[in-house]
């Protein structure tokens, strides 16, 4: 059909399955197994539904101010969006506007190349080393920007502060985005580097450590100038993005630092237990500092294990992609869920 010639064609990102059967164990999209902070429930109970008559605050002020206070930055340094996917997409659109290719790792969050294709941004993927770490020297070439997650997805591997700074330092003529979707499970954030580098944008999410994937909240922190460019792009696209209820529950979640620490600590403890058990069963993996473990088994194929677990109503994630097609990405659930997983795996592997 002639009209199809001018259609913008993209191969979309494929999100993890969202099955929802009673009793099933869902370890496939890195959600938090615990509920959001109690303050979130309180806001939901007390929310005056009549307020929905009005448009929301385009600046998400209550949430932005809560985040600024929590992270010790100015509110002009914070940008909130509808999940970090929204924030990242806006950042790609705003900052990656060069003829030169942007750089990111070969094994990484599979939305990056989708956005690059969608926005017609040239890109180059750089192989991680054997241990799934970034090779900083590879990033010392001419480019139109850099993005990588730390901890990386789907590997769970955290990059050292030295590596991160080395990359930012070598790329001060472009924007470097550090995607910290999984930083709250033991990693050290790159946020302190904001004092030294104005080309750094740190992106985080409420979907994992703050147990609010269903609310779609993400945010970026950077210097005021970067954030103001991000706002210009947002207000040229869709100004009313986050709804009024979400702004309030997001702010309530950030204000409860104690609950946040309690749940992330619990996930970390369960992760360390799961690492030991998986090792005993013959799995190997790089050390994960996230809320999932990316593991391969010496003898059994990942795809077969994945399919077996499905028959037991346990969902993990499997990517049929080069270099990682013998790995399973297993999100950390409750202790009970992980005990069931280990029991089923030992049944299968015996
Ligand atoms: N970055 C990375 C590395 C992720 O794994 C994810 C989760 N799919 C996201 C960003 C997006 O998360 P959300 O849009 O739920 O904030």
């Amino acid at each position: 059909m002639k009209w199809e010639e001018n259609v913008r064609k993209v191969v979309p990102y494929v999100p993890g399955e969202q099955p929802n059967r009673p009793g099933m164990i869902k370890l496939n999209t890195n959600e938090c197994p615990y509920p959001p902070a109690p303050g979130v429930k309180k806001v939901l109970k007390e929310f005056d539904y009549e307020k929905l008559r009005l448009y929301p605050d385009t600046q998400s002020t209550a949430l932005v101010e809560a985040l600024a206070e929590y992270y010790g930055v100015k509110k002009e340094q914070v940008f909130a969006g509808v999940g970090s996917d929204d924030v990242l997409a806006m950042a790609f659109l705003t900052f990656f506007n060069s003829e030169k290719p942007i750089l990111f790792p070969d094994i990484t969050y599979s939305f990056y190349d989708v956005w690059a294709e969608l926005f017609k941004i040239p890109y180059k993927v750089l192989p991680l080393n054997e241990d799934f770490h970034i090779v900083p020297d590879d990033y010392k070439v001419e480019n139109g920007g850099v993005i990588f997650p730390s901890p990386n997805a789907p590997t769970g591997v955290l990059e050292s502060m030295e590596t991160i700074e080395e990359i930012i330092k070598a790329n001060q003529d472009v924007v470097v985005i550090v995607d910290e979707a999984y930083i709250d499970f033991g990693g050290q954030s790159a946020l302190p580097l904001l004092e030294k580098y104005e080309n750094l944008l740190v992106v985080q999410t409420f979907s994992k450590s703050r147990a609010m994937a269903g609310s779609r909240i993400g945010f970026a922190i950077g210097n005021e100038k970067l954030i103001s460019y991000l706002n210009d792009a947002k207000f040229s696209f869709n100004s009313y993005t986050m709804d009024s209820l979400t702004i309030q529950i997001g702010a309530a979640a950030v204000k409860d630092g104690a609950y946040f620490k309690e749940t992330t600590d619990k996930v970390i403890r369960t992760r360390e237990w799961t690492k030991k058990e998986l090792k005993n069963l013959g799995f190997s993996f790089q050390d994960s500092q996230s809320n999932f473990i990316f593991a391969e088994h010496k003898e059994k194929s990942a795809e077969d294990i994945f399919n077996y677990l499905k028959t037991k109503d346990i969902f993990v994630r499997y990517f049929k992609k080069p270099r990682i097609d013998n790995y399973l990405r297993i999100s950390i659930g409750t202790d009970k869920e992980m005990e069931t997983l280990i029991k089923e795996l030992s049944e299968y592997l015996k």
Side-chain angles (χ1 to χ4, degrees):
M1 232 74 77
K2 186 114 177 82
W3 59 264
E4 276 188 296
E5 281 171 23
N6 292 321
V7 170
R8 187 181 295 265
K9 295 179 196 77
V10 276
V11 183
Y13 169 75
V14 186
E17 290 172 81
Q18 297 298 348
N20 186 15
R21 283 199 295 279
M24 65 164 292
I25 297 183
K26 191 169 179 300
L27 306 174
N28 71 333
T29 43
N30 301 338
E31 290 143 330
C32 180
Y34 307 108
V40 172
K41 192 171 179 183
K42 187 164 181 284
V43 174
L44 286 170
K45 270 192 169 160
E46 291 169 7
F47 187 77
D48 176 7
Y49 86 106
E50 279 191 30
K51 284 212 186 113
L52 293 178
R53 209 168 47 74
L54 305 171
Y55 278 106
D57 167 15
T58 54
Q59 307 272 2
S60 309
T61 310
L63 174 62
V64 162
E65 284 182 352
L67 285 166
E69 190 176 333
Y70 186 84
Y71 290 101
V73 295
K74 290 193 235 162
K75 69 179 194 318
E76 291 78 17
Q77 290 182 265
V78 182
F79 174 86
V82 183
S84 56
D85 281 342
D86 179 44
V87 176
L88 288 164
M90 218 30 79
F92 267 59
L93 187 64
T94 311
F95 301 119
F96 296 161
N97 192 31
S98 157
E99 314 258 282
K100 294 177 198 154
I102 60 164
L103 309 176
F104 51 84
D106 61 340
I107 303 167
T108 195
Y109 185 32
S110 42
F111 224 137
Y112 298 161
D113 56 351
V114 176
W115 286 314
E117 296 280 353
L118 176 66
F119 298 134
K120 301 187 191 303
I121 302 163
Y123 63 97
K124 193 169 165 203
V125 296
L126 302 170
L128 296 176
N129 72 13
E130 290 281 284
D131 299 333
F132 291 156
H133 273 283
I134 285 179
V135 183
D137 279 347
D138 292 352
Y139 289 75
K140 294 173 185 169
V141 293
E142 272 216 276
N143 66 71
V146 176
I147 176 155
F148 58 89
S150 181
N152 197 359
T155 64
V157 170
L158 179 82
E159 294 301 343
S160 70
M161 204 49 90
E162 291 73 42
T163 295
I164 295 173
E165 180 161 10
E166 194 179 339
I167 294 172
I168 299 167
K169 199 172 178 182
N171 285 287
Q172 294 187 60
D173 292 342
V174 296
V175 173
V176 177
I177 303 175
V178 183
D179 178 351
E180 294 190 337
Y182 302 102
I183 197 65
D184 299 319
F185 303 101
Q188 196 194 345
S189 170
L191 281 170
L193 295 176
L194 285 175
E195 292 194 359
K196 279 209 234 165
Y197 303 99
E198 61 179 48
N199 61 321
L200 165 65
L201 189 77
V202 175
V203 177
Q204 295 190 7
T205 178
F206 281 43
S207 298
K208 330 284 175 182
S209 53
R210 295 189 187 273
M212 292 175 77
S215 298
R216 313 302 301 126
I217 306 175
F219 61 97
I221 301 184
N223 86 53
E224 291 174 44
K225 211 165 184 183
L226 280 193
I227 298 302
S228 103
Y229 279 125
L230 210 43
N231 271 312
D232 288 348
K234 174 219 156 125
F235 282 95
S236 312
F237 189 76
N238 178 3
S239 43
Y240 297 108
T241 48
M242 191 176 290
D243 66 87
S244 26
L245 176 58
T246 302
I247 294 169
Q248 283 194 30
I249 55 179
V254 183
K255 286 176 184 159
D256 196 340
Y259 182 83
F260 177 57
K261 182 159 181 351
E262 187 187 315
T263 42
T264 47
D265 280 353
K266 268 204 279 191
V267 171
I268 292 169
R269 272 201 304 275
T270 311
R271 176 188 71 206
E272 296 307 308
W273 178 85
T274 309
K275 281 181 188 171
K276 272 192 235 134
E277 297 293 323
L278 287 176
K279 269 204 183 114
N280 287 343
L281 290 174
F283 283 92
S284 53
F285 41 86
Q286 294 301 325
D287 192 33
S288 166
Q289 292 297 312
S290 62
N291 66 337
F292 56 86
I293 298 169
F294 195 55
E296 84 174 323
H297 195 268
K298 285 195 287 274
E299 285 136 31
K300 299 277 183 189
S301 106
E303 195 170 12
D304 289 349
I305 304 174
F306 169 75
N307 286 322
Y308 172 80
L309 289 175
K310 250 189 183 178
T311 68
K312 300 287 167 189
D313 246 3
I314 300 176
F315 282 75
V316 297
R317 190 92 192 257
Y318 172 69
F319 301 90
K320 210 173 186 136
K321 285 186 171 178
R323 287 189 79 185
I324 57 169
D325 61 355
N326 202 34
Y327 283 82
L328 295 173
R329 193 193 67 188
I330 305 166
S331 308
I332 303 301
T334 59
D335 286 340
K336 194 159 165 273
E337 287 174 325
M338 301 320 275
E339 280 160 19
T340 309
L341 168 82
I342 296 297
K343 192 168 86 35
E344 293 297 352
L345 282 174
S346 23
E347 270 305 298
Y348 180 69
L349 297 166
K350 80 176 172 208

